[in-house]
């Protein structure tokens, strides 16, 4: 039998061979494998049972054609995906992303992350993710509806409340989930538990919209409190201005922090008086506009094109990347440290490159990895599934209280697991090991399937 180090190297070589040309997926696998040596040394059965060989291979990858007609009658074709990565501890669970950059590598990386994130929540949910290279920007409501109907016409054959439960992600919010569910229901039957993130009027959970952003801030607060710091009176920067970013900003402001900047994929706005969140909501949620429009109503604020993390000139304390993967490279990370950042919690999935994370950890920055810090969204999705199967709905306060407990529990698990394996303070390693062990133990008990 190989020793832990050689086993990890062997598996990564195999994964690279089998997934050539999928850099995002390889990055996610490497990041997990890098953490596991100490736990493999302690549990040779994981090597004997070849858990890593099995856990890095999706149970199923579904790809399909999505044809749709625009308002002028032109016919378009996009590609749809659903990766059903691991169902050991529950039905596949994870969002759908509609963005032109979506490809198999991105969906596999997101589904892989989701396995360990979902495990950390303590809920009974496996890992999955899907989406399409469809670009929702500039499309009419009717075009979005026709696209969602076509996408669901194919996807419905593979999902179900105990089988696979999609939700939102980039480009997929309550509007899209509403259309997707409508088509599912037309082709099947009334079954709200087949999707989460639904509008509240049709079986969605109160608090799901806010959950990812709020949860990320709750997680950051635990990191800070444990280190004698707090959010109150501090300057924060949040990237993105979508679902996760908006509710991270809302909770930060409620906790007394001042959010001085946020962004979209074109550029970022800096308002040293504190970002006016109602204005951001009006621009992004009501008008579906661009963050640049902020300065039309707030002439004191400044708009800059480009990446927020490498472009910020102001100093600030805390960073909340809430846009997308790979927003923070090594050079941006160095710039952030120069600007005074001491804590970073990832609302997005894998927003920091590997060398950026390494630098943050080396420099002692409080670093909250996405699979722990942004798990509040999927955790509340699981609470939505519970409400749907009980045919009931809980109050906002009830859901938010459960979310706070779950985020605290995830933080404790990541912290204590890191300590147990001699990596005190390294929440990435703690989260990776804790998320992995729950799934690995259950895989062994289920046999080689
Ligand atoms: P939204 O579509 O609501 O918002 C995405 C935001 O990120 C927009 O401001 C968008 O700008 C920006 N963005 C998207 N792509 C890029 C890019 N390539 N470069 C720079 N900015 C970009 O998505 P969410 O808020 O739901 O998701 C944001 C992140 O959080 C993603 O990484 C997602 O996987 C993760 N996440 C989401 C959860 C959820 O519950 N929704 C749960 C856990 C994680 P623009 O409008 O210009 O495209
Ligand atoms: O990345 C994520 O955790 C999500 N997009 C949320 C998934 C979900 O099923 O709620």
């Amino acid at each position: 039998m190989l020793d832990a180090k050689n086993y990890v190297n062997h598996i990564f070589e195999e994964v690279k061979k089998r997934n050539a040309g999928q850099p995002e997926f390889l990055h996610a696998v490497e990041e997990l494998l890098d953490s596991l040596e100490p736990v493999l040394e302690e549990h040779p059965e994981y090597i004997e049972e070849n858990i890593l060989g099995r856990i890095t291979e999706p149970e199923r990858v579904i790809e399909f054609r999505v044809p749709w007609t625009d308002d002028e009658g032109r016919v378009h074709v996009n590609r749809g995906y659903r990766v059903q990565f691991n169902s050991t501890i529950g039905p596949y669970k994870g969002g759908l992303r509609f963005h032109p950059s979506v490809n198999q590598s991105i969906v596999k990386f997101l589904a892989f992350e989701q396995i360990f994130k979902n495990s950390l929540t303590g809920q009974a949910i496996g890992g999955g993710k899907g989406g399409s290279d469809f670009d929702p920007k500039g499309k009419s409501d009717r075009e979005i509806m026709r696209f969602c109907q076509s996408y669901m016409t194919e996807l419905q054959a593979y999902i179900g409340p105990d089988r696979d439960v999609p939700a939102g992600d980039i480009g997929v919010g309550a509007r899209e989930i509403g259309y997707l569910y409508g088509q599912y229901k037309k082709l099947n039957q009334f079954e709200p538990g087949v999707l989460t993130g639904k509008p509240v009027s049709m079986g969605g959970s109160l608090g799901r919209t806010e959950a990812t952003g709020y949860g990320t801030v709750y997680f950051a607060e635990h990191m800070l409190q444990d280190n004698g710091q707090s959010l109150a009176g501090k300057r924060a920067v949040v990237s993105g201005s979508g679902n996760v970013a908006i509710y991270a900003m809302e909770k930060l402001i409620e906790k007394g922090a001042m959010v001085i900047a946020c962004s979209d994929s074109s550029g970022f706005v800096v308002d040293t008086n504190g970002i006016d969140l109602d204005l951001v909501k009006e621009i992004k949620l009501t008008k579906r506009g661009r963050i640049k429009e902020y300065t039309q109503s707030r002439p004191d604020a400044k708009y800059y094109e480009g990446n927020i993390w490498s472009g910020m000139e102001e100093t600030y304390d805390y960073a909340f990347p809430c846009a997308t993967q790979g927003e923070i490279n090594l050079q941006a990370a160095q710039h952030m440290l120069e600007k005074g950042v001491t804590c970073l919690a990832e609302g997005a999935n894998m927003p920091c490159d590997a060398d950026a994370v390494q630098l943050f950890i080396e420099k002692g920055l409080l670093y909250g990895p996405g699979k722990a810090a942004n798990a509040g969204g999927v955790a509340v999705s699981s609470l939505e599934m519970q409400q749907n199967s009980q045919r009931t709905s809980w109050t906002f306060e009830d859901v938010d209280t459960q979310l706070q407990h779950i985020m605290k529990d995830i933080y404790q698990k990541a912290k204590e697991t890191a300590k147990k394996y001699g990596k005190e303070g390294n929440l990435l390693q703690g989260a990776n090991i804790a998320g992995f062990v729950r799934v690995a133990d259950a895989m062994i008990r289920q046999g080689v399937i």
Side-chain angles (χ1 to χ4, degrees):
M1 199 174 81
L2 292 173
D3 65 18
K5 195 180 181 60
N6 283 314
Y7 176 57
V8 165
N9 289 340
H10 162 72
I11 291 293
F12 194 52
E13 285 312 310
E14 291 291 303
V15 172
K16 277 197 287 195
K17 248 189 266 165
R18 197 176 274 157
N19 301 280
Q22 300 200 342
E24 295 85 1
F25 177 57
L26 293 176
H27 174 199
V29 171
E30 190 172 22
E31 190 218 69
L32 182 92
L33 295 184
D34 273 353
S35 297
L36 297 183
E37 242 179 79
V39 76
L40 293 168
E41 276 162 13
E42 193 186 71
H43 291 276
E45 70 274 21
Y46 295 158
I47 305 177
E48 226 164 278
E49 296 279 348
N50 195 10
I51 292 296
L52 294 187
R54 290 197 265 152
I55 215 166
T56 52
E57 186 65 19
E59 289 174 18
R60 202 168 296 105
V61 176
I62 302 151
E63 283 192 22
F64 47 96
R65 182 175 70 187
V66 191
W68 58 280
T69 308
D70 69 21
D71 291 343
E72 275 73 50
R74 282 186 298 257
V75 178
H76 300 262
V77 178
N78 285 95
R79 184 171 290 177
Y81 301 88
R82 186 71 183 167
V83 174
Q84 299 182 329
F85 218 119
N86 193 299
S87 61
T88 307
I89 60 171
Y92 308 106
K93 182 82 197 86
L96 300 174
R97 178 177 291 190
F98 292 169
H99 192 272
S101 64
V102 166
N103 56 33
Q104 200 191 99
S105 172
I106 289 181
V107 181
K108 273 167 67 182
F109 122 65
L110 291 163
F112 186 73
E113 283 287 287
Q114 203 83 45
I115 303 169
F116 309 101
K117 180 195 301 192
N118 293 3
S119 163
L120 280 170
T121 65
Q123 304 283 309
I125 41 180
K129 199 88 183 191
S132 174
D133 57 3
F134 173 74
D135 186 357
K137 281 203 190 81
K139 304 290 189 298
S140 70
D141 260 16
R142 291 285 172 193
E143 289 170 331
I144 299 280
M145 180 186 79
R146 286 194 293 273
F147 177 80
C148 289
Q149 290 173 341
S150 180
Y151 181 87
M152 183 53 89
T153 300
E154 184 66 22
L155 186 72
Q156 56 89 28
Y158 305 98
I159 61 176
D162 294 312
R163 188 175 178 194
D164 184 354
V165 184
D169 193 83
I170 292 177
V172 178
R175 172 181 63 167
E176 291 73 20
I177 294 289
Y179 292 143
L180 289 163
Y181 178 68
Q183 184 70 356
Y184 181 88
K185 189 168 68 62
K186 183 171 172 64
L187 297 172
N188 295 278
Q189 61 194 4
F190 175 83
E191 204 158 45
V194 72
L195 291 170
T196 62
K198 296 178 293 295
V200 173
S201 60
M202 46 179 267
S205 175
L206 289 165
R208 174 61 187 91
T209 308
E210 295 84 354
T212 312
Y214 279 19
T216 304
V217 175
Y218 295 145
F219 190 91
E221 203 173 29
H222 287 299
M223 292 196 287
L224 292 167
Q225 278 170 358
D226 247 3
N227 288 276
Q229 300 179 48
S230 73
L231 290 165
K234 296 291 176 18
R235 283 156 59 110
V237 170
V238 178
S239 65
S241 46
N243 170 266
V244 180
I246 283 176
Y247 293 100
M249 290 194 264
E250 186 165 281
K251 188 52 74 176
L252 283 166
I253 293 165
E254 195 189 304
K255 297 266 177 190
M258 187 195 266
V259 179
I260 60 161
C262 64
S263 66
D264 60 21
S265 60
S266 311
F268 58 100
V269 61
V270 180
D271 188 342
T272 49
N273 297 317
I275 289 284
D276 177 344
L277 190 57
D278 287 339
L279 179 56
V280 174
K281 284 184 179 174
E282 189 192 318
I283 295 167
K284 300 302 290 191
L285 301 181
T286 312
K287 300 204 304 215
R288 294 183 187 272
R290 308 300 299 160
I291 203 64
K292 189 180 186 176
E293 294 159 35
Y294 185 95
T295 54
Q296 288 164 11
S297 308
R298 291 283 174 284
D300 285 353
K302 290 222 160 54
Y303 174 77
Y304 305 88
E305 308 230 305
N307 180 296
I308 186 169
W309 304 114
S310 45
M312 276 293 294
E313 285 167 13
E314 302 286 330
T315 57
Y316 57 102
D317 305 288
Y318 306 143
F320 292 83
C322 296
T324 193
Q325 70 275 0
E327 337 171 13
I328 299 177
N329 60 18
L330 182 61
Q331 174 258 324
Q334 279 158 344
H335 183 71
M336 291 165 75
L337 292 170
E338 281 160 24
K339 293 295 161 197
V341 177
T342 58
C343 174
L344 179 150
E346 295 181 340
N349 285 307
M350 226 172 251
C352 300
D353 287 355
D355 42 10
V357 173
Q358 201 185 336
L359 178 73
F360 288 145
I361 291 175
E362 263 168 37
K363 297 287 179 194
L365 175 133
L366 301 176
Y367 168 69
K371 64 169 74 67
N374 73 36
V378 76
V380 172
S381 276
S382 177
L383 302 183
E384 183 172 329
M385 290 161 71
Q386 292 175 37
Q387 292 169 76
N388 291 156
S389 59
Q390 292 173 13
R391 295 184 187 269
T392 187
S393 56
W394 303 334
T395 63
F396 181 91
E397 289 69 29
D398 192 2
V399 173
D400 189 50
T401 304
Q402 292 193 56
L403 171 64
Q404 291 184 45
H405 285 309
I406 292 170
M407 296 316 296
K408 184 174 180 187
D409 186 57
I410 295 173
Y411 174 71
Q412 297 290 357
K413 260 187 236 167
K415 179 184 155 183
E416 281 156 23
T417 308
K419 195 168 168 197
K420 176 173 170 198
Y421 289 97
K423 304 285 173 184
E424 195 160 356
N426 186 336
L427 296 176
L428 174 64
Q429 193 149 7
N432 280 340
I433 295 178
F436 169 77
V437 164
R438 178 173 175 219
V439 180
D441 287 344
M443 283 175 77
I444 290 178
R445 283 166 180 268
Q446 289 178 16
V448 180
I449 49 164

